[in-house]
Amino acid sequence: MDRLTYQAFLTPEEEGGYSVRFPDLDGCYTCGDDYADAVNMAADAAKTFVAALMKHGDPIPEAKRHDVPDGDDSVWVSFEVDPSYIVDGPVVSAAQAARELGLSAGRVTHMLNAGLLEGYREGRRTWVTTASIEARKAAPVASGRPRKAVAVA
C-alpha cells in the first residue's frame, strides 16, 4: 500500500460549503458542506482517483507545490491507497446483502472489514459486490468454532 500526499485547493461557494480540486490530479473534484467535510471528501476523492489509475496501469502524477489562487485555501491531503480500493461489478446495499446472506447488517460490515466480502463505503452507505455475495453463498461456512482435527493413531 502506497502513502501519497497531494495539494488540494478549497474554494468557498456562495451558497456555503467548499468545492475542491487537485492541480496534479486532472479531473479529480469533490465538495464538502464545511471545511472539515471538504478535507475529508478530498482525501476520499484523491484515494479513489489514484486507485483507479493504479488499477488501470496508468501513471501516477507526481505531487508538486502550487501557488494558491486568490480566494482559495490550500491543504495537503495524505492517504494510503492500492488498486484493491476499486471494486468491479454490480453492488447492493449492506442491508440487501444481509438479507441475501441471512445475516445482520452489522455482521456484513464485519465481514467487509475482515476481507470476507468485497465492497466499499460511500458516505454513510455501505455497498457489497454481488459477486462476493454469490461466492459466499456457494461456499457457506458452518456456524460456531471450527473443530480441531482428530489425530488417528
Side-chain angles (χ1 to χ4, degrees), residues 48-60:
T48 303
F49 189 90
V50 173
L53 293 175
M54 290 175 156
K55 184 156 191 138
H56 295 99
D58 295 329
I60 309 304

Side-chain angles (χ1 to χ4, degrees), residues 9-82:
F9 295 147
L10 283 70
T11 305
E13 296 295 330
E14 287 182 20
E15 58 277 356
Y18 292 84
S19 59
V20 182
R21 68 183 177 86
F22 291 86
D24 295 320
L25 302 176
D26 189 32
C28 183
Y29 302 96
T30 190
C31 60
D33 294 333
D34 56 36
Y35 194 87
D37 186 43
V39 172
N40 286 328
M41 294 297 289
D44 187 56
K47 180 177 181 176
T48 303
F49 189 90
V50 173
L53 293 175
M54 290 175 156
K55 184 156 191 138
H56 295 99
D58 295 329
I60 309 304
E62 179 183 344
K64 299 176 187 149
R65 186 184 178 290
H66 300 271
D67 291 332
V68 183
D70 288 340
D72 285 3
D73 285 326
S74 175
V75 64
W76 285 87
V77 177
S78 184
F79 54 93
E80 289 185 344
V81 65
D82 66 59

Side-chain angles (χ1 to χ4, degrees), residues 22-151:
F22 291 86
D24 295 320
L25 302 176
D26 189 32
C28 183
Y29 302 96
T30 190
C31 60
D33 294 333
D34 56 36
Y35 194 87
D37 186 43
V39 172
N40 286 328
M41 294 297 289
D44 187 56
K47 180 177 181 176
T48 303
F49 189 90
V50 173
L53 293 175
M54 290 175 156
K55 184 156 191 138
H56 295 99
D58 295 329
I60 309 304
E62 179 183 344
K64 299 176 187 149
R65 186 184 178 290
H66 300 271
D67 291 332
V68 183
D70 288 340
D72 285 3
D73 285 326
S74 175
V75 64
W76 285 87
V77 177
S78 184
F79 54 93
E80 289 185 344
V81 65
D82 66 59
S84 69
Y85 188 68
I86 301 299
V87 175
D88 291 323
V91 294
V92 297
S93 68
Q96 178 64 33
R99 284 190 292 276
E100 289 186 31
L101 293 169
L103 303 169
S104 69
R107 179 66 184 139
V108 168
T109 301
H110 288 287
M111 292 174 76
L112 283 165
N113 292 339
L116 300 173
L117 292 172
E118 291 182 351
Y120 60 93
R121 289 191 59 85
E122 182 178 56
R124 294 183 181 144
R125 305 238 356 172
T126 301
W127 302 96
V128 182
T129 64
T130 55
S132 69
I133 294 168
E134 294 306 319
R136 189 70 181 180
K137 288 197 288 192
V141 178
S143 62
R145 293 179 182 239
R147 294 179 187 238
K148 293 184 178 179
V150 178

